[in-house]
Amino acid sequence: EGAADDLNDLIRVTVDLDSWRHTGGKIGRMKTTASQCLVTQTMRNHAKIVALLNTLRQAGELEGPVTWTGQDNTPDAAPKPKPVQTNTRAGLDAAELARKLRFNRGQKTQIASLNLNVDAATAGSLGVKFRKGNNDVSYTTIDEAQFRTLMEIDAAAKANAQGAEVGANETRQDTIIGTDALLANAMTTNVTYSYDKGNTLDVNDNPISVSHDKYVLVDNGGYLTAVRAGQMQHWSQASKNIEFVKAPQTIEIPRVGVMVKLEKTLVKPSDEMIVRFDY
């Protein structure tokens, strides 16, 4: 019951505070039962509430799906009650979550990560230098070209492995600025700050500033985990998914007279738009 009350308070302070009867408004009202939260609000504010609850669920503060029932054609001037079905997690701190939502203009960002069957020594041969940080975490940042090469090495390792390869366990999670996101290696990272060109990620008490076009690389002692953070968004906006590049397929030399399409990905402005090969 306490967690449900905290959730109600969070909704009120985050979504159109002045509209709730609880705070002197004339429209908003909530009634909580054992399994539902019955909300009376305008259509516009109902949409904001659902977006907020889904963001909290993705951030790990709510359990189970968020469902919304009722008339979808309710005009703003004549709101009707709509039950919102949620499972609240014990210990939800409404004031703290509301503060995090307001911090950085109520932003969220997406965190994506995956595991690579590449060890630190192999990465070091590409010029990757790891730093030993707090709590025995070894990490660095890499660019797109280095990540693509690591993906190729990972693909080759999986092709030659005898069942000992590490699963990619690709994860993708929206997180409110200031809250934790789960990584592919079971670690968590906290997005402590988000700005136009990058983010600051805290990995086990190691603050790491990384631009949107680069990756954080964590050494797990035998395999690596690549982490990337997306651009900041308002929590009510649709998510922009982060997609990882895939390792290129092997090109079989064709027979004479067969049409072949060659494709090259440019990583830096200085890269040549030329593909060279020996036939």
Side-chain angles (χ1 to χ4, degrees):
E1 182 177 353
D5 290 340
D6 288 343
L7 180 62
N8 292 350
D9 290 340
L10 175 63
I11 292 173
R12 291 191 187 100
V13 299
T14 306
V15 178
D16 199 357
L17 177 62
D18 295 333
S19 69
W20 298 95
R21 297 185 184 185
H22 184 76
T23 55
K26 298 181 179 180
I27 299 175
R29 183 171 55 187
M30 277 188 288
K31 180 180 179 181
T32 303
T33 68
S35 61
Q36 290 183 328
C37 176
L38 191 64
V39 180
T40 302
Q41 258 296 357
T42 65
M43 282 295 295
R44 186 177 295 105
N45 286 341
H46 271 300
K48 291 181 180 179
I49 292 170
V50 172
L52 170 63
L53 295 178
N54 276 312
T55 300
L56 291 175
R57 178 176 60 81
Q58 292 169 341
E61 301 294 348
L62 291 180
E63 298 174 345
V66 176
T67 59
W68 181 28
T69 60
Q71 299 287 334
D72 283 341
N73 59 354
T74 305
D76 282 358
K80 295 181 180 180
K82 298 178 185 295
V84 178
Q85 183 81 31
T86 64
N87 296 317
T88 53
R89 179 167 299 195
L92 178 66
D93 189 334
E96 177 64 12
L97 280 174
R99 185 192 68 79
K100 290 175 179 178
L101 282 171
R102 290 193 297 267
F103 181 66
N104 272 354
R105 302 185 182 94
Q107 295 164 357
K108 68 175 182 180
T109 189
Q110 187 170 104
I111 302 295
S113 62
L114 56 76
N115 296 325
L116 299 167
N117 287 272
V118 184
D119 57 27
T122 302
S125 66
L126 303 176
V128 177
K129 297 181 180 180
F130 287 89
R131 172 185 175 184
K132 196 72 170 182
N134 298 322
N135 300 309
D136 293 326
V137 177
S138 183
Y139 66 91
T140 188
T141 59
I142 59 174
D143 59 27
E144 181 78 8
Q146 291 170 314
F147 176 74
R148 285 176 178 270
T149 303
L150 291 175
M151 287 291 287
E152 292 183 27
I153 297 173
D154 172 77
K158 288 179 179 178
N160 299 325
Q162 302 295 324
E165 70 271 13
V166 175
N169 192 29
E170 185 172 333
T171 63
R172 186 176 288 102
Q173 179 181 338
D174 283 355
T175 179
I176 298 168
I177 305 304
T179 61
D180 290 342
L182 183 65
L183 301 180
N185 61 352
M187 288 184 179
T188 59
T189 183
N190 190 295
V191 187
T192 58
Y193 188 70
S194 182
Y195 48 101
D196 291 340
K197 297 182 179 180
N199 303 279
T200 299
L201 308 181
D202 190 313
V203 180
N204 202 4
D205 201 25
N206 292 278
I208 309 169
S209 294
V210 57
S211 58
H212 297 308
D213 60 341
K214 292 191 176 182
Y215 301 76
V216 173
L217 201 62
V218 179
D219 176 17
N220 303 293
Y223 71 97
L224 306 174
T225 300
V227 185
R228 193 173 190 181
Q231 294 182 339
M232 57 184 177
Q233 297 176 268
H234 192 265
W235 58 265
S236 61
Q237 290 179 290
S239 300
K240 295 181 180 178
N241 284 339
I242 299 173
E243 301 296 340
F244 290 109
V245 298
K246 304 301 181 183
Q249 296 178 336
T250 300
I251 299 176
E252 299 293 339
I253 300 298
R255 300 178 65 86
V256 174
V258 176
M259 184 73 72
V260 178
K261 177 183 177 181
L262 299 175
E263 192 174 273
K264 180 177 182 180
T265 300
L266 303 182
V267 178
K268 298 179 180 180
S270 59
D271 287 350
E272 293 183 332
M273 295 181 62
I274 299 173
V275 177
R276 294 184 176 88
F277 61 97
D278 294 326
Y279 189 84

